[in-house]
């Protein structure tokens, strides 16, 4: 189980690699979409080679287990829990399980409801375990529709397969870059509200290149793929040709009074693997979704990997502390390379800063929406040596910024933060705050946790550790951290523009 978890977290399966390779070929390299996909491809290869997490959000571990009659499921569930705790200790999983009332992190990914383990009996004599690691950013973009309903840009969705098609397209459009597009959707038609979501997630255990055995559903899957990739949401919501890499639909019976369409959105960091086990010894008999134990085929050539971030020569260098003048000279679309000190802050830090002064001087500073994976010891193959206190950051991509929308403008104003880095963009309140206080929002590439960990020279310190490692405020010294200005100090927002433009394109999918 430890092997399964570690490999799932660090090495994408071949079908996802193929889909992402196709996306890479589709986008022009010098565009925002092309640059984002190159970073993603580098990140995938870096994660596999150093056995580090592909994304810092290692997600909710969900196990689907099939066992022969007579297997002791209580004992087996305990083994899975032990493996989750061990993989967390080894830095393959970020401590992600928090008490929903107190916010306290259990530190080992164990707690009520974590991990999720579903058992089913079958007639075979071996055991099958499938695992998916699905992060919070994409989980938050899941959607459930009760038909008939009215949808933005698409009009009425009836209780028909065409209504289902419209709902799925609407969910992809609503997700924009927040779920780290290009993503894949698992969909359930019918069921009740709970079984619908569960069955939708189960569709994500299908490979991206399979064909639905039900021709009616296969046709809808194809139609959604075609239409979604015309929306030009693009990688990370930057605009582009690739918005969706997979659509998998299942159906459950429903009550006559209900007609739910449940959509489970997964990001490009689509971490899904499985094994079959010898039921007596627990040894791995075979890997699922991949050819044996052979190393994965890299996304890039060694030369492309060594070349790093694809520069055009137009990049703008920023070093903290940053002045008002520098900020106001930036505009949407500029690619910047940030160096110097940045501070991480996500949900707990933002809530804290609304009531308390910051533990460090944030004037002219850079606030990074990130919950990194940090280890106390050097992880074999980790990119950088330990920093202050023996800490090493092993994964450090951006988290979804919109969660901080209620706080961000106030924090910019009160503490003089100049640069906010995250992913998926923020809303009208923050946009106004950036204009008023002189700040910019930079969109980093979501999920590129290995790539960004390599931009960190050292951990210079940490504050607010009482919130747990993902939520603490880490003081990071970085060099040439690349990101794109997607909201500037002049009231411009690439996110707003892409959402509006893709909304117009969505209207073409009405019929
Ligand atoms: S790639 Fe993006 S959505 Fe997926 S787990 Fe990572 S941060 Fe979350």
């Amino acid at each position: 189980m430890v092997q399964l978890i570690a490999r799932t977290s660090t090495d994408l399966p071949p079908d996802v690699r193929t889909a992402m390779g196709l996306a890479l070929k589709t986008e022009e390299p010098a565009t925002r979409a092309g640059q984002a996909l190159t970073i993603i491809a580098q990140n995938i290869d870096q994660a596999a080679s150093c056995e580090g997490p592909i994304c810092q959000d290692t997600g909710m571990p969900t196990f689907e287990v099939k066992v022969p009659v007579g297997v002791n499921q209580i004992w087996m569930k305990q083994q899975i829990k032990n493996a989750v705790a061990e993989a967390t200790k080894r830095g393959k999983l970020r401590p992600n399980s928090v008490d929903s009332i107190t916010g306290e992190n259990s530190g080992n990914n164990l707690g009520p409801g974590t991990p999720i383990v579903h058992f089913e009996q079958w007639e075979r004599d071996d055991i099958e375990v499938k695992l998916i690691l699905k992060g919070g950013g994409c989980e938050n973009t899941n959607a459930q529709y009760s038909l008939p309903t009215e949808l933005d840009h698409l009009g009425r969705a009836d209780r028909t397969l065409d209504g289902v098609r419209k709902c799925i397209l609407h969910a992809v459009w609503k997700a924009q870059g927040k779920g780290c597009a290009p993503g894949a959707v698992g969909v359930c038609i019918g069921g009740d509200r709970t079984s619908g979501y569960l069955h939708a997630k189960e569709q994500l255990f299908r490979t991206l290149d399979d064909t639905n055995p039900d021709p009616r559903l296969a046709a809808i899957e194809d139609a959604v793929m075609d239409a979604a990739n015309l929306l030009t949401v693009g990688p990370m919501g930057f605009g582009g040709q690739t918005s969706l890499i997979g659509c998998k639909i299942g159906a459950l019976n429903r009550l006559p009074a209900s007609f739910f369409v449940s959509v489970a959105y997964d990001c490009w960091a689509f971490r899904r693997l499985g094994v079959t086990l010898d039921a007596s010894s627990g040894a791995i008999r075979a890997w699922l979704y991949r050819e044996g134990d052979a190393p994965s085929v890299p996304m890039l050539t060694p030369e492309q990997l060594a070349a790093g971030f694809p520069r055009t020569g137009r990049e703008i260098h920023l070093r903290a502390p940053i002045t008002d003048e520098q900020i106001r000279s930036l505009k949407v679309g500029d690619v910047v390379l940030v160096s110097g000190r940045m501070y991480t802050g996500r949900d707990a830090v933002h809530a804290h800063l609304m009531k308390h002064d910051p533990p460090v001087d944030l004037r002219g500073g850079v606030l990074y929406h990130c919950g990194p994976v940090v280890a106390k010891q050097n992880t074999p193959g980790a990119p950088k040596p330990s920093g202050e206190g023996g800490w090493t950051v092993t994964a450090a991509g951006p988290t979804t910024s919109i969660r901080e929308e209620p706080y961000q403008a106030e924090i910019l104003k009160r503490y003089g933060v100049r640069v906010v880095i995250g992913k998926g963009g923020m809303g009208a309140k923050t946009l106004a705050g950036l204009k008023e206080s002189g700040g910019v929002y930079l969109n980093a590439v979501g999920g590129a946790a290995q790539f960004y960990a390599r931009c960190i020279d050292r951990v210079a310190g940490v504050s607010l550790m009482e919130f747990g490692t993902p939520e603490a405020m880490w003081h990071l010294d970085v060099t040439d951290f690349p990101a794109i200005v997607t909201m500037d100090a002049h009231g411009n927002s690439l996110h707003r523009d892409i959402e509006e433009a893709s909304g117009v394109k969505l209207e073409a999918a009405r019929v």
Side-chain angles (χ1 to χ4, degrees), residues 55-57 134-138 178-180 267-269 271 398 423 446-447:
C55 177
Q56 77 290 335
D57 185 352
K134 186 171 180 297
C138 53
K178 298 181 189 73
C180 291
C267 51
W268 68 260
R271 290 149 292 177
K423 58 115 170 158

Side-chain angles (χ1 to χ4, degrees), residues 28 148 159 184 253 318 366 372 387 419:
E28 284 294 325
R159 291 183 164 190
N253 278 14
L318 282 183
V366 180
V419 172

